[in-house]
Structures are given as C-alpha cells and as structure tokens.
Amino acid sequence: MASRQFPEHFVWGTATSSYQIEGAWDEDGKGPHIWDAYAMLPGRIKDGSSGAIAIDHYHHLEEDVALMKSLGVQAYRFSMCWSRILPRGEGEVNEAGIAFYNRLIDLLLEAGIAPYVTLYHWEMPLALEMTYGGWLYEGIDDHFAAYARLCFERFGDRVKQWMTFNESNAIAECGYRWGVHAPGRMANPDTEPYLCAHHLLLSHAKAVAVYRQEFQAQQNGQIGIAHNTYWPEPASEKAEDREAAERAFDFTVGWLHDPLYRGDYPASMRQRLGEKLPSFSPEEQKLLIGSYDYIGINHYLSKSVSHSDELGDDFSGVIGTKMKEGCLDFDAWDQGYPHGGSAYPDGFRKLLEKVSQRYGQPPIVITENGFFQETLAETSAALADDDRITYLNAYLAAMHDAMTAGVDVLGYFLWTLFDNFEWSEGYQVAMGIYHVDHTNMRRTPKRSAAFYQKLIADNAVSL
Ligand code: BGC
C-alpha cells in the first residue's frame, strides 16, 4: 500500500457550526436569528425539523471535547452564534453567551486543541434582519465589524485563528436566489445575491481591518475566510466548454475571492451581469486587497460543465454554462450528493492547484471536506460507513498530490464531527464521523472515526 506522509506541522481537525449542533436556541439570553425563524416556516426543512435542540452540544461541552481529544485532532473549527453573544445583533452583550464560548475555548486548550473560529456561519440576528434588512443593508458592515471587534476583544487572547465568513456564495445564492436557506428570499434573484455578496465582502474587509489595526500585533493570530468551492471539469476538450468551466469558476470562487486579491470581480461576471454587479470604490478596494492571511477552502465535489447558448433568467443562463451531474468517475457515490455533482478526488487536486496559481500561492486551509450519506434508521448500518472512508482516503491522497505539486496546504478539517442539522435537509443527511442518537443524545463513533484517528496518528494516508 502506497503511503503519503504529511509535513510534521500539518494540522488535522474537525469542523462544525453553531446552529447545526448547539441547540439551546432560546436559553441563557440568546436572541433569535434568521435560521430560528426560517426553520419554523412550514415546508422549508424537508423533515420538518430545526436546529432548536440539534445535538444539544450546548449541554455536552465536556463530553464533546473529550471525544475530540480521543480522536487526536490538533484543532477544531466551530462557529460563534452572533445572537448568542449580542441578542439583538448590536447593543447589549449577553455575558452568558460569552461565558459559553469561553468555556468551550478553555476546554479545547486544556485538551491541546487549537480553536479555529468562524464568526458567521449563516445566522444573522433576527433583529438586524428585521430592522435593517440583514445583508441587503448597506450599513451592515459596521454591525459585523462591531461584532467581530467584540469577539477579538473577548476571545482573541486564546483564539489565534479566525475566519470571518463561511461560504459567502452559499449565503447569497441559497438565501437570496433559490430561497432554500434563510432568509429564504426569491423576490429579486437577479440582483439580491450580488448585493448580499457585495456587503459580505465589505463586511469581511472591515472586520479584518479591525483585527489588523487593533489586535493582530499583540494577539499574534491570523484571519481568513472560508469559501465554498466545486471543481468545474470541462465536459469536453472543446474551447467553448473549457471557457464555460472557467466561467463557472469565476462565478463561484472568483466572485468571492478576486475582490480580496485584486479588488474587483472577475471580468466575465462584469461582462455578463453589467449593472447588476455592484462596484467597489477605490477606498473599498484598498480595504479588500490582501485582507486575509490564508484562504479557507470548503470542498466536496466536482461538476461537469459545458457551454450553453441559452440566456435564460436562471443562474446558468447568466453564466452560459450547463452542469451535467453524475457523469464523472465516481458514479457509485453520486446519489449521496444532495447539491448535485460528483465525488471526483482528482477534481480536489485540480481545484487546489487552480486556487494556488490564481491567487499567488497563498497559504490554504481545507476548512471543510466530507462525505454525504443518507441517515439510516439502523444504527449498526450507520456506523459501518465504509464509503466515507473510501472517499476520505481518495480525497486526502488528492490533497497530498496537490501539496507535492507545490500547493501550500497548512491543515485539513473534516466535515463533520457529528451527524447534525443539515440545513434544509434537516436530519436526513448524516455527514458525521460520530453518530448521534436523538432519543438520548448518545454519541457513537462510526468506523470513519477510527480511520481518522489512525490517519492523524500516522500523519499519513495510505491508498
Ligand atoms: C456548509 C456546512 C454544511 C456542509 C454540507 C457546507 O456547505 O458550510 O454547514 O453542513 O457544507 O452540506
């Protein structure tokens, strides 16, 4: 068996997000956020569930950190819930919320696990949504920067790794075009996703400026952002298909990262969207360019992309691409992918090489990667997740190949530690390496947990 060894200081971790695991949705002074409200609307979550209780991580902190310790992870990526800290998103601070995250951070550090904190994993405080319009409001960047400052102030003595946003393109597309995530808007799909993303970018830049000007020197940490990516594989060698795949990259990664690298959106977006795409002022560009110490990459799948002449109103009509699903190598796994696309390990390598080349070989952290599976009724079947092991082996080998080719990958966070609330899929999708029994909240390791534990101990992947 060929073995690929990782560098000595490579960081292995697992990732989660607040609404997907915490529960305690209205406890100890937490304010409501848009997902609390959205999940209450009939029909929005496929199984009618919500993250109100989730896996009750809020009341299982000691146990959950002990379990991470037993896995041997060196780091843990989690998100902070804005409205647990600032119940109305601004103004009064909820000290009980601060105390909760302090406890989590302290437990992690005692266990030798470095906290990697995402400031926003999709939960806009409801008060900010209702008062100002959330991400559609031009002044939202000041609110986000103030929240970020508070987090740096209260936690930055111990948290050395920050991310502003998780998947800005998912926030914009799912929340403002397709309406399948909170706030569930579909009224202006031609403009609102771009406006939302624009404000996310400016909010990111402001928060990073706060960190750099007021905290970074004494706290000695780093700050980045986590992007949602897929690899667009051209459906053929034809130039028009290769160009279509290039455009698909522009409209996903380029959309959210070009502005941070060179101060503007990709030319292909400007060309196709015209005035619908907002513009940055010179001052904003200055704030944006270089506003990250590393790039976080969330990656799960690839899509086959071909050219399309259709210029419909839908998203692919704008891009001029067609996505064909289930046409890549890993057919056997396709049914596990609710978002469309295919598992294609080499697509991961290609994506990483592309990001590295396009953005001047930045440090990269894999902030999410993992395997979708339907939730199974039988616990014993759920624990025997051999497909996940096959997937992880192949994807980690591909990541290693990218590193050998010169991509600077510093660490890897497996999505996800526990089966949890998978957004509009509810609890029907199980992505964890720990199974959770919702009748008693018992956590049980799946086969993949032992696999990951060994991989971390060996610091190597074998194929
Ligand atoms: C998100 C996670 C989600 C995962 C699987 C990512 O898009 O950041 O919150 O659970 O993918 O769908």
Side-chain angles (χ1 to χ4, degrees):
M1 240 189 330
S3 167
R4 291 167 167 87
Q5 194 70 37
F6 286 91
E8 200 185 334
H9 298 294
F10 195 78
V11 176
W12 295 104
T14 55
T16 63
S17 86
S18 37
Y19 188 60
Q20 293 180 275
I21 64 166
E22 281 179 6
W25 80 282
D26 64 348
E27 277 182 54
D28 296 341
K30 174 184 161 294
H33 53 63
I34 56 173
W35 268 94
D36 290 321
Y38 181 78
M40 286 178 191
L41 300 174
R44 294 307 181 113
I45 311 298
K46 287 189 185 155
D47 58 2
S49 67
S50 77
I53 300 174
I55 62 157
D56 202 25
H57 172 67
Y58 192 80
H59 298 115
H60 289 74
L61 274 195
E62 281 76 11
E63 181 187 345
D64 290 347
V65 173
L67 167 162
M68 282 183 235
K69 190 175 177 183
S70 74
L71 268 180
V73 292
Q74 294 111 7
Y76 173 51
R77 174 179 180 234
F78 63 97
S79 69
M80 289 183 173
C81 172
W82 187 343
S83 64
R84 198 178 285 292
I85 293 173
L86 291 162
R88 282 179 288 116
E90 58 185 345
E92 198 192 326
V93 176
N94 178 29
E95 290 300 334
I98 299 269
F100 168 70
Y101 291 117
N102 270 334
R103 245 177 76 222
L104 172 57
I105 293 165
D106 291 344
L107 283 167
L108 288 168
L109 292 174
E110 276 164 34
I113 300 170
Y116 279 57
V117 174
T118 313
L119 289 168
Y120 187 88
H121 200 125
W122 304 358
E123 307 142 303
M124 171 63 71
L126 193 58
L128 293 184
E129 184 74 25
M130 296 182 70
T131 313
Y132 305 108
W135 294 119
L136 298 180
Y137 167 54
E138 212 189 326
I140 196 68
D141 51 357
D142 286 330
H143 293 277
F144 183 72
Y147 158 61
R149 177 182 286 109
L150 179 66
C151 292
F152 303 145
E153 255 164 25
R154 298 299 194 93
F155 309 116
D157 55 336
R158 288 150 299 146
V159 172
K160 303 300 168 195
Q161 301 291 341
W162 297 96
M163 278 147 280
T164 51
F165 290 102
N166 181 70
E167 301 193 349
S168 309
N169 63 345
I171 298 169
E173 293 292 339
C174 299
Y176 296 85
R177 185 192 306 281
W178 310 120
V180 293
H181 282 181
R185 291 183 62 86
M186 297 160 78
N188 300 299
D190 281 354
T191 50
E192 287 187 6
Y194 305 112
L195 196 61
C196 162
H198 197 72
H199 293 154
L200 288 167
L201 284 160
L202 293 170
S203 301
H204 161 86
K206 269 207 178 157
V208 173
V210 166
Y211 189 61
R212 289 192 168 161
Q213 284 158 22
E214 302 173 31
F215 299 95
Q216 195 163 30
Q218 70 272 29
Q219 294 186 348
N220 208 13
Q222 296 197 310
I223 188 158
I225 182 165
H227 294 308
N228 169 246
T229 70
Y230 67 86
W231 170 249
E233 177 79 8
S236 81
E237 280 304 308
K238 278 193 260 165
E240 59 172 18
D241 286 345
R242 279 192 273 118
E243 280 161 25
E246 197 61 40
R247 276 199 304 281
F249 184 90
D250 286 352
F251 273 73
T252 49
V253 181
W255 180 17
L256 279 314
H257 204 78
D258 277 22
L260 307 183
Y261 183 63
R262 46 171 209 88
D264 206 356
Y265 296 111
S268 69
M269 292 190 76
R270 180 69 62 202
Q271 192 196 344
R272 283 175 184 251
L273 294 165
E275 290 297 294
K276 291 175 188 161
L277 197 62
S279 297
F280 298 110
S281 70
E283 298 76 56
E284 289 170 342
Q285 291 184 313
K286 235 172 102 191
L287 213 57
L288 286 161
I289 294 176
S291 60
Y292 54 94
D293 299 317
Y294 62 91
I295 304 183
I297 293 290
N298 293 359
H299 182 85
Y300 293 93
L301 47 86
S302 292
K303 296 183 185 188
S304 171
V305 178
S306 54
H307 175 79
S308 165
D309 284 324
E310 279 166 47
L311 281 175
D313 291 334
D314 65 303
F315 190 44
S316 60
V318 176
I319 312 181
T321 61
K322 242 185 348 218
M323 308 286 173
K324 203 163 132 222
E325 288 162 17
C327 49
L328 298 171
D329 286 0
F330 281 68
D331 282 348
W333 295 348
D334 287 346
Q335 75 273 12
Y337 283 82
H339 307 308
S342 309
Y344 174 48
D346 209 37
F348 191 22
R349 175 188 64 78
K350 293 178 189 176
L351 185 274
L352 290 173
E353 291 185 19
K354 169 120 187 147
V355 168
S356 180
Q357 278 158 18
R358 175 134 156 179
Y359 301 119
Q361 295 173 309
I364 291 177
V365 175
I366 308 306
T367 36
E368 286 182 29
N369 170 245
F371 188 66
F372 292 78
Q373 234 164 7
E374 244 175 75
T375 301
L376 303 171
E378 272 298 311
T379 307
S380 56
L383 300 181
D385 59 342
D386 296 326
D387 285 350
R388 173 166 292 111
I389 294 173
T390 311
Y391 173 99
L392 292 172
N393 245 322
Y395 267 71
L396 287 168
M399 179 180 83
H400 191 278
D401 290 348
M403 292 167 71
T404 307
V407 181
D408 186 15
V409 183
L410 306 177
Y412 172 93
F413 289 79
L414 191 156
W415 187 272
T416 179
L417 187 53
F418 307 106
D419 290 347
N420 60 36
F421 177 72
E422 180 50 33
W423 308 110
S424 48
E425 305 290 325
Y427 297 95
Q428 292 176 331
V429 170
M431 300 189 68
I433 55 173
Y434 277 79
H435 172 268
V436 179
D437 179 338
H438 286 263
T439 60
N440 54 19
M441 293 298 169
R442 186 183 303 132
R443 283 91 160 113
T444 311
K446 301 183 190 175
R447 278 187 198 156
S448 56
F451 159 83
Y452 198 46
Q453 186 182 40
K454 178 164 182 336
L455 188 143
I456 296 169
D458 296 348
N459 198 27
V461 64
S462 307
L463 256 197

